């Protein structure tokens, strides 16, 4: 009888010891690393031919298996004499975008050779990725504004726009994602002016690239100096530990007299972008002070 009690006591101790070892083991096993918000993020480029034609276009397409999260462009060889009329991601309200087309016109007759570069920010497929659009009224007013808003429950990863009915006579002055340093963006506003008076009816379209919520998504910004120089440039950089999914810009103090010539995410075909540059010229001589703001849409790396 005594032997049976000792046996049961020993068995109970062994069970408690084994349970303790299991619990202790559970404590010391390291947690799995967090998944990247936008895995496989890279920047892809495509450049048009360089010549003196009035219009140039280029399409940057994501590698097979990747989707488009953001856009960018660069005008090469013109300094305030060319304007991007079309920064258009493909896709739709039920289709993930995979490419962006950039179209640019001369604002004034220009004899030199020039070209346009399209930038596509691409990643492995993101849940719920779509492109939505909103178009302003079409009339001959000097200014129009339109906002594309993500569907409820989605956030903004990237931006685009299109001017309809003008060919080199309209400039986008405001290309601004909402959000902030502690708030995920959910919409983009496009504000555009006539660069020269035109009697044509025209409109502006805003494009929002949207996805299901991403970890750590915020909007960072940087404002350049305000002065009367002909050119200014500013770079918005993502917070440490975050990567760039898309971008935007805003010109302050000019109304149709400033042109963003360079809207360029950094990075490369094997490197995730982490910042976006915005460079702007005066389209015509302008005596007032003005500045340029760059916006970066950033998510956890």
């Amino acid at each position: 009888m005594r032997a049976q009690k000792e046996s049961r006591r020993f068995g109970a101790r062994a069970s408690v010891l084994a349970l303790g070892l299991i619990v202790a083991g559970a404590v010391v096993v390291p947690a799995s690393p967090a998944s990247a918000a936008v895995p496989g993020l890279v920047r892809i480029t495509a450049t048009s031919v360089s010549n003196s034609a009035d219009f140039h276009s280029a399409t940057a397409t994501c590698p097979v298996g990747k989707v488009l999260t953001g856009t960018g462009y660069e005008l090469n060889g013109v300094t305030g004499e060319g304007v991007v009329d079309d920064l258009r991601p493909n896709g739709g309200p039920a289709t993930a975008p995979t490419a962006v087309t950039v179209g640019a016109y001369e604002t004034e007759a220009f004899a030199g050779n020039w070209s346009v570069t399209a930038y596509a920010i691409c990643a492995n497929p993101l849940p719920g990725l779509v492109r939505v659009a909103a178009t302003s009224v079409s009339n001959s007013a000097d200014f129009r504004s339109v906002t594309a808003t993500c569907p409820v429950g989605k956030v903004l990863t990237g931006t685009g726009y299109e001017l309809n009915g003008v060919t080199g006579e309209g400039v986008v002055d405001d290309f601004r994602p909402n959000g902030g340093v502690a708030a995920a963006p959910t919409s983009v506003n496009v504000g555009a002016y006539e660069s020269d008076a035109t009697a044509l009816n025209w409109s502006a379209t805003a494009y929002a690239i949207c996805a299901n919520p991403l970890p750590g998504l915020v909007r960072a910004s940087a404002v350049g100096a305000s002065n009367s120089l002909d050119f200014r440039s500013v770079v918005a950089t993502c917070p440490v530990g975050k990567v760039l999914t898309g971008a935007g810009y805003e010109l302050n103090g000019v109304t149709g007299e400033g042109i963003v010539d360079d809207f360029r995410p950094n990075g490369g075909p094997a490197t995730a972008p982490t910042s976006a540059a915005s460079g702007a010229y005066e389209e015509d001589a302008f005596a007032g002070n003005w500045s340029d703001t760059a916006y970066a849409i950033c998510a956890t790396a």
Side-chain angles (χ1 to χ4, degrees), residues 162-252:
E162 188 171 4
L163 300 184
N164 317 293
V166 284
T167 53
E169 299 300 328
V171 297
V172 172
D173 180 86
D174 187 6
F175 187 37
R176 179 171 42 85
N178 70 346
V181 293
T186 57
S187 68
V188 58
N189 174 257
V190 173
Y193 287 91
E194 294 177 356
S195 59
D196 292 307
T198 176
L200 295 171
N201 289 337
W202 64 287
S203 64
T205 298
Y207 294 108
I209 302 172
C210 308
N212 293 353
L214 297 175
L217 194 73
V218 296
R219 188 204 70 179
S221 63
V223 182
S226 179
N227 54 42
S228 61
L229 295 178
D230 176 62
F231 175 75
R232 63 232 4 359
S233 180
V234 63
V235 176
T237 301
C238 291
V240 174
K242 295 182 186 290
V243 290
L244 185 82
T245 67
Y249 59 76
E250 185 175 7
L251 298 184
N252 317 292

Side-chain angles (χ1 to χ4, degrees), residues 50-51 74-82 110-116 261:
S50 179
N51 57 34
E74 188 172 7
L75 298 182
N76 317 293
V78 284
T79 52
E81 299 302 327
F110 182 76
N113 291 338
W114 64 286
S115 65
V116 62
D261 179 89

Side-chain angles (χ1 to χ4, degrees), residues 32-275:
S32 299
S35 298
V38 277
L41 197 71
V42 294
R43 188 202 71 178
I44 303 300
T45 66
T47 300
S48 72
V49 297
S50 179
N51 57 34
S52 60
D54 177 61
F55 176 74
H56 291 77
S57 179
T59 298
T61 302
C62 292
V64 174
K66 292 187 184 288
V67 293
L68 184 80
T69 70
T71 66
Y73 66 79
E74 188 172 7
L75 298 182
N76 317 293
V78 284
T79 52
E81 299 302 327
V83 63
V84 169
D85 179 86
D86 188 7
L87 177 63
R88 181 171 39 86
N90 68 351
T95 308
T98 56
V100 57
T101 296
V102 178
Y105 287 90
E106 294 178 357
T107 58
E108 309 283 354
F110 182 76
N113 291 338
W114 64 286
S115 65
V116 62
T117 297
Y119 293 106
I121 303 174
C122 306
N124 295 351
L126 297 180
L129 193 73
V130 294
R131 187 211 70 178
V132 298
T135 301
S136 72
V137 296
S138 179
N139 57 36
S140 60
D142 176 62
F143 175 75
R144 60 228 14 357
S145 177
V146 63
T147 299
T149 301
C150 291
V152 174
K154 294 185 186 289
V155 294
L156 185 79
T157 70
T159 56
Y161 67 79
E162 188 171 4
L163 300 184
N164 317 293
V166 284
T167 53
E169 299 300 328
V171 297
V172 172
D173 180 86
D174 187 6
F175 187 37
R176 179 171 42 85
N178 70 346
V181 293
T186 57
S187 68
V188 58
N189 174 257
V190 173
Y193 287 91
E194 294 177 356
S195 59
D196 292 307
T198 176
L200 295 171
N201 289 337
W202 64 287
S203 64
T205 298
Y207 294 108
I209 302 172
C210 308
N212 293 353
L214 297 175
L217 194 73
V218 296
R219 188 204 70 179
S221 63
V223 182
S226 179
N227 54 42
S228 61
L229 295 178
D230 176 62
F231 175 75
R232 63 232 4 359
S233 180
V234 63
V235 176
T237 301
C238 291
V240 174
K242 295 182 186 290
V243 290
L244 185 82
T245 67
Y249 59 76
E250 185 175 7
L251 298 184
N252 317 292
V254 285
T255 52
E257 298 301 329
I259 292 176
V260 173
D261 179 89
D262 186 7
F263 174 53
R264 180 172 39 85
N266 74 342
T271 309
T274 56
S275 67

Side-chain angles (χ1 to χ4, degrees), residues 267-295:
T271 309
T274 56
S275 67
S278 178
Y281 285 91
E282 294 178 356
E283 194 257 334
D284 291 312
F286 182 77
N289 291 339
W290 62 288
S291 66
D292 186 6
T293 299
Y295 294 106

Side-chain angles (χ1 to χ4, degrees), residues 18-37:
L19 180 60
L21 289 173
I22 292 171
V23 172
V27 170
V28 297
V29 170
S32 299
S35 298

